[in-house]
Structures are given as structure tokens and as C-alpha cells.
């Protein structure tokens, strides 16, 4: 499946922002912890959500999906009869976030087998810290035949664990495991992303006792079981919001991002976009992003929250290709997250990569070209460049796009922009 992107378009309209992929995925995994299941609202319509639901079903979780609105589903999960504790390679290789069932299965059932995720295009992405954290809670971990075999026959025990580096899903996995451990766990250098706060708030609604979420020290007082009947609304997707803000910036247009407090969710990103030439103003239940007509060069470096999100680096690099000057983009989180650069250069971008830095020399104009998406966020960066380019483009392998962005054609159409799926 490919996406035809017509050039010289201007974004001008309203985009309802969906529930956050990177919150919905851990929240779905968290349902495993509860005897009484979990009901989630504002769940985005994404391939990764479907993959996670089929993984949960293979474990014995029953679920029901109801359409809540044009861009959101309600998902009700029943977890009273989980009988299988293996997450197979076929699923995990499709989506690394499947590793998030490891903590919940282990702490509730005392054993599980989860395939090692393997690398992905943006980096090796090890899970060593997930495993070290579980061992700190008393788990016995063995790596065999490409699987993590984890057992905790007497259950997990609360402990202190210091993360050598801040890891988002690592923090989420250990936080979920600690929720049913015997005793108190204190995590230091925990990741501070808003999606972690969302997960902790949902776990507390389910009956867990977590505090400090959003700071680098998170305390979890273990409880014997989670029994509260819980309905929880997934937070809005700050990465989707940032992506559409850049769409306004690169096409010199304007977009109203509806459905969240995006100033709070994207502090550093907004500050950088203002320096590049985007103007932000608060509107009813959202934020307006409007181009000043300028795209100024700015140096950007990705860091853990509240720093500049690595998941908006590729999209920002596309924007800076049209800046009136030279910018340096530094990628501090992943070792190989500049693959979009080679594709952007086919449109006439002037980018030089050396190590963790991309030097972007702004050009007058990009020209449309056939391109290939390499990973989820890169796929949208190519679309952004293509919208502003002279002439039309075709982006191939947009299954990457469908993993993390729902209803792109419809949402762009609501901003007066046309793209077409072609086989
Ligand atoms: C989460 O991935 C997100 N995915 C990623 O979003 C996001 O890019 C990333 O956090 C950083 O913000 C989900 O939440 C499902 P990390 P995660 O563990 O948790 C190293 C997207 O586009 N590390 O915070 O896998 C790792 O190699 C995706 O939506 C270890 O060394 O990222 C990386 O360099 C892409 N050992 C750094 O930590 C470990 O055990 C941060 O990775 C774990 C991580």
C-alpha cells in the first residue's frame, strides 16, 4: 500500500487528536493485572492496538470493541480466565511493545515466556533493564531459544531499583510488576513521560498504590490483587498533536489541535517550534498552531521527557529542510533514527549525517519524489515534506504509518489537504 501526496498544499483546519498509542499499549497490558478486567475509552484505531488485542486474546483475555466516535473505540477486557502465559515470536517481532505483557503476567501468575523482541530499524533497543528490574523484584530469568523465561514461584518481592538510563517501557513493565509484589518498590531514574503518569493513574484506579509518577522516583506499595471495576480514558496523543502542528508549520498554514492540554504535554517541543516560527494560542479544549510564514533554523536535540521527544525528531528534521539557514539535529535516544534523511535528500533536501548529528541546510524548495517509509515516525516526516514540495510524491510501505497514526487521510482532509491511498 502506498500514499500519493499532492504537493504545494496548505494545512488549514481542525484535527481531533486521538488517544495516545504509547499510553493505550501499556494500559491494555495492565488489564492482565486485574481479576475484573478493565474498560478503556478513547482507544485509538491503530494496527498496533489490534496486534496487542490479538496477543491478549491468545493469552485468554476476552475483549469487546465498540466504536465510541469517528476516531476512537471503547475496549472492554475480561481477564478472569487467562490460561496461556506465552507471548510468541510472531507477535513480538511485529510489535516490540508486546514486551509489556512480561511484568503483568509474571507478577499475577508467577511465570511467563515472552519472545525477545529483536531489533528494529531505529536501533537495537535492548530490554536488559526490563529484565534486571524484574530480577531485583526476585524473578528468575533465563534466556533460551530467543525467549525470556521468567518465573517467580513465590511471587515478586518489593525492592529498590535504580535505572541506569531512563526507559519508558522499562519503567512501565517494572511498575506493573511491582503493583502486585509483596512489599514496597522504589524506582529511581524512572522515566517521566506523561504516558507513564497515565498508566500509574489507571493502575491506582484499579486498586494499586503508586506515587511519584511523572518524577524520577516512583514508589509502588504492592497489593495482593487488583479488583476494582475500572473504566479509564486514554490520554491524548502528544506525538500525533506535534506531528500535525509541524504540518501547519511546513505548509505555512494553521491547525487547531483538539482534545488535550498540549502545552503541558509538549513543553520543550512548543518552545522549539516557536523559535522556528510557529505561533501557538489556546483554544477551547486544545491548542492552535499557526505559521508565521517563516521557518527559522534552530538546533534540536532529543532527550527523555520533559526534553524534546525523539518521536518528533524526524518530523522536525523535515520542517528544518525548508528553514532559511542551517540547523543541527542531535538524536540522543536511538543510534539509527535518521533513515528519513536519505529519503528527504531524494526530494532535494541538504542533510549531512555524522554520528548522532544531522546537519540540515535549508533549501528554497523540495521537489516531489517516490519515497519509502522506514519506520513509524519517519513515514509521516516524508508526508510532511511532500505536502510542501513542488510536484507530487508517493510514499511506499505506509504500513509503518498505520501502526501509529489513525485516519490520516480523513484528518488531513479536515485540514483541506488531499492524500490518496494507492495499491
Ligand atoms: C518508548 O519506547 C516508545 N514506545 C517509543 O515510541 C519512544 O521512542 C521511546 O519510548 C522513547 O521515548 C512505546 O512507548 C510503546 P526506551 P521504549 O526504553 O520504551 C535504551 C514510537 O514511535 N534501553 O525509553 O522501547 C534504548 O535502547 C515509538 O511510538 C536500554 O538500553 O524506549 C534507548 O536507547 C518508537 N535497555 C533508550 O534506552 C533497556 O532495557 C530509551 O529507550 C531499555 C531501553
Amino acid at each position: 500500500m502506498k500514499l500519493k501526496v499532492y504537493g504545494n498544499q496548505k494545512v488549514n483546519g481542525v484535527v481531533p487528536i486521538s488517544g495516545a498509542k504509547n499510553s493505550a499499549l501499556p494500559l491494555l497490558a495492565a488489564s492482565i493485572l486485574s481479576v475484573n478486567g478493565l474498560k478503556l475509552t478513547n482507544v485509538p484505531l491503530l494496527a498496533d492496538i489490534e496486534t496487542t488485542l490479538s496477543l491478549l486474546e491468545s493469552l485468554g483475555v476476552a475483549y469487546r470493541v465498540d466504536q465510541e466516535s469517528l476516531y476512537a473505540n471503547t475496549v472492554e477486557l475480561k481477564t478472569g480466565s487467562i490460561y496461556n502465559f506465552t507471548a510468541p515470536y510472531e507477535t513480538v517481532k511485529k510489535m516490540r511493545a508486546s514486551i509489556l505483557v512480561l511484568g503483568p503476567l509474571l507478577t499475577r501468575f508467577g511465570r511467563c515466556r515472552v519472545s525477545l523482541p529483536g531489533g528494529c530499524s531505529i536501533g537495537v533497543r535492548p530490554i536488559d533493564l526490563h529484565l534486571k528490574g524484574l530480577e531485583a523484584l526476585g524473578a528468575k530469568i533465563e534466556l533460551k531459544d530467543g525467549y525470556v523465561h521468567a518465573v517467580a514461584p513465590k511471587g515478586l518481592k518489593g525492592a529498590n531499583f535504580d535505572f541506569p538510563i531512563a526507559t519508558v517501557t522499562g519503567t512501565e513493565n517494572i511498575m506493573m510488576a511491582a503493583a502486585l509484589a509483596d512489599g514496597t518498590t522504589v524506582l529511581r531514574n524512572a522515566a517521566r513521560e506523561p504516558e507513564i503518569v497515565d498508566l500509574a493513574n489507571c493502575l491506582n484506579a484499579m486498586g494499586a498504590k503508586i506515587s511519584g509518577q511523572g518524577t524520577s522516583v516512583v514508589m509502588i506499595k504492592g497489593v495482593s490483587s487488583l479488583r476494582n471495576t475500572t473504566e479509564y480514558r486514554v490520554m491524548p496523543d502528544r506525538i500525533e498533536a506535534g506531528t500535525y502542528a509541524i504540518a501547519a508549520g511546513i505548509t505555512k498554514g494553521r491547525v487547531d489541535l483538539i482534545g488535550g492540554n498540549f502545552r503541558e504535554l509538549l513543553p520543550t517541543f512548543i518552545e522549539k517550534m516557536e523559535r522556528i516560527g510557529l505561533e501557538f494560542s489556546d483554544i477551547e479544549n486544545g491548542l492552535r498552531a499557526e505559521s508565521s510564514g517563516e521557518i527559522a533554523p534552530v538546533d534540536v536535540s532529543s532527550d527523555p521527557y520533559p526534553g524534546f521527544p525523539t518521536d518528533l525528531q524526524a518530523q522536525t528534521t523535515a520542517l528544518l529542510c525548508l528553514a532559511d539557514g542551517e540547523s543541527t539535529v542531535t538524536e540522543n535516544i536511538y543510534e539509527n533514527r535518521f533513515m528519513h534523511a536519505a529519503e528527504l535528500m531524494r526530494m532535494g533536501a541538504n542533510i549531512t549525517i555524522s554520528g548522532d548529528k544531522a546537519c540540515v541546510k535549508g533549501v528554497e524548495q523540495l521537489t516531489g519524489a517516490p519515497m519509502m517509509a522506514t519506520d513509524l515516525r519517519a513515514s509521516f516526516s516524508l508526508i510532511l515534506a511532500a505536502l510542501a514540495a513542488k510536484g507530487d510524491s508517493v510514499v511506499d510501505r505506509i504500513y509503518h504509518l498505520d501502526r501509529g497514526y489513525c485516519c490520516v487521510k480523513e484528518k488531513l482532509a479536515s485540514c483541506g489537504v488531499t492524500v490518496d491511498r494507492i495499491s
Side-chain angles (χ1 to χ4, degrees):
M1 185 56 89
K2 302 178 182 180
L3 196 72
K4 176 106 189 233
V5 183
Y6 304 97
N8 274 327
Q9 298 198 70
K10 185 187 281 279
V11 160
N12 193 342
V14 180
V15 175
I17 297 301
S18 298
K21 168 179 84 81
N22 290 349
S23 180
L25 295 178
L27 288 172
L28 287 168
S31 66
I32 294 169
L33 293 166
S34 166
V35 178
N36 290 326
L38 176 62
K39 185 172 182 180
L40 294 173
T41 61
N42 197 35
V43 178
L45 287 59
L46 298 171
D48 275 8
I49 299 294
E50 285 164 32
T51 304
T52 305
L53 286 172
S54 62
L55 169 61
L56 290 174
E57 191 172 42
S58 73
L59 302 178
V61 175
Y63 69 89
R64 184 194 144 99
V65 179
D66 293 300
Q67 181 155 18
E68 188 182 306
S69 72
L70 201 49
Y71 301 125
N73 282 336
T74 292
V75 177
E76 186 146 16
L77 302 125
K78 293 272 175 252
T79 53
S81 53
I82 293 175
Y83 58 86
N84 174 22
F85 311 112
T86 297
Y89 177 57
E90 298 67 44
T91 306
V92 181
K93 76 179 177 187
K94 253 195 322 189
M95 189 193 64
R96 333 172 22 74
S98 314
I99 195 71
L100 284 165
V101 303
L102 176 61
L105 284 173
L106 182 61
T107 198
R108 187 167 166 215
F109 300 102
R111 63 196 170 94
C112 64
R113 247 169 36 104
V114 177
S115 166
L116 282 161
C120 84
S121 58
I122 60 178
V124 172
R125 299 184 72 184
I127 57 161
D128 56 314
L129 302 181
H130 296 237
L131 305 182
K132 286 200 181 78
L134 292 173
E135 285 173 332
L137 297 181
K140 293 281 166 283
I141 305 269
E142 192 192 354
L143 301 186
K144 210 169 57 162
D145 324 321
Y147 277 75
V148 175
H149 296 255
V151 290
K154 299 195 191 65
L156 295 175
K157 283 193 71 54
N160 295 339
F161 182 69
D162 297 9
F163 282 97
I165 40 174
T167 154
V168 174
T169 49
T171 302
E172 291 165 345
N173 235 335
I174 308 309
M175 197 164 73
M176 290 190 282
L180 298 182
D182 173 16
T184 297
T185 296
V186 178
L187 303 180
R188 286 193 173 76
N189 197 23
R192 299 167 51 191
E193 273 66 7
E195 291 75 21
I196 290 175
V197 176
D198 215 28
L199 173 62
N201 292 345
C202 179
L203 290 170
N204 284 341
M206 293 161 74
K209 292 186 175 8
I210 300 173
S211 56
Q213 57 269 34
T215 75
S216 54
V217 180
V218 177
M219 182 188 289
I220 305 108
K221 289 196 176 73
V223 295
S224 54
S225 67
L226 298 184
R227 299 183 164 277
N228 297 355
T229 305
T230 308
E231 177 172 322
Y232 192 81
R233 179 176 174 76
V234 178
M235 67 174 279
D237 194 319
R238 61 196 171 99
I239 304 302
E240 183 190 31
T243 303
Y244 282 100
I246 295 173
I250 202 167
T251 62
K252 310 277 176 63
R254 182 180 92 177
V255 66
D256 288 353
L257 307 165
I258 305 298
N261 180 346
F262 299 112
R263 270 194 200 284
E264 188 185 293
L265 292 173
L266 290 165
T268 309
F269 170 78
I270 286 179
E271 182 199 311
K272 283 290 177 188
M273 287 298 126
E274 285 173 332
R275 289 177 49 197
I276 291 174
L278 265 174
E279 290 152 4
F280 292 90
S281 49
D282 297 322
I283 53 174
E284 173 76 18
N285 188 22
L287 186 69
R288 170 168 292 174
E290 184 157 15
S291 165
S292 64
E294 302 298 319
I295 302 177
V298 164
D299 293 346
V300 172
S301 82
S302 64
D303 285 303
Y305 191 87
F308 191 93
T310 173
D311 292 347
L312 284 167
Q313 179 264 102
Q315 302 91 312
T316 303
T317 303
L319 175 61
L320 292 172
C321 288
L322 289 170
D324 47 16
E326 190 172 318
S327 310
T328 300
V329 178
T330 306
E331 173 55 58
N332 291 315
I333 308 293
Y334 292 110
E335 61 271 32
N336 186 29
R337 201 171 200 175
F338 285 126
M339 285 162 300
H340 43 285
E343 296 301 306
L344 292 168
M345 287 185 232
R346 304 184 65 248
M347 300 177 78
N350 182 341
I351 306 173
T352 315
I353 309 283
S354 59
D356 62 356
K357 290 186 183 348
C359 173
V360 185
K361 288 194 179 75
V363 295
E364 270 302 301
Q365 185 145 63
L366 296 172
T367 49
M371 291 177 280
M372 192 172 71
T374 50
D375 67 88
L376 163 54
R377 305 303 172 182
S379 56
F380 217 121
S381 78
L382 304 182
I383 294 169
L384 295 172
L387 288 174
K390 180 167 173 286
D392 301 340
S393 302
V394 174
V395 181
D396 198 356
R397 301 193 179 178
I398 55 157
Y399 58 84
H400 289 293
L401 186 73
D402 295 334
R403 289 191 49 194
Y405 288 97
C406 97
C407 322
V408 170
K409 179 178 171 60
E410 294 76 11
K411 293 194 179 188
L412 285 175
S414 68
C415 304
V417 166
T418 310
V419 295
D420 284 320
R421 283 176 182 275
I422 51 178
S423 54

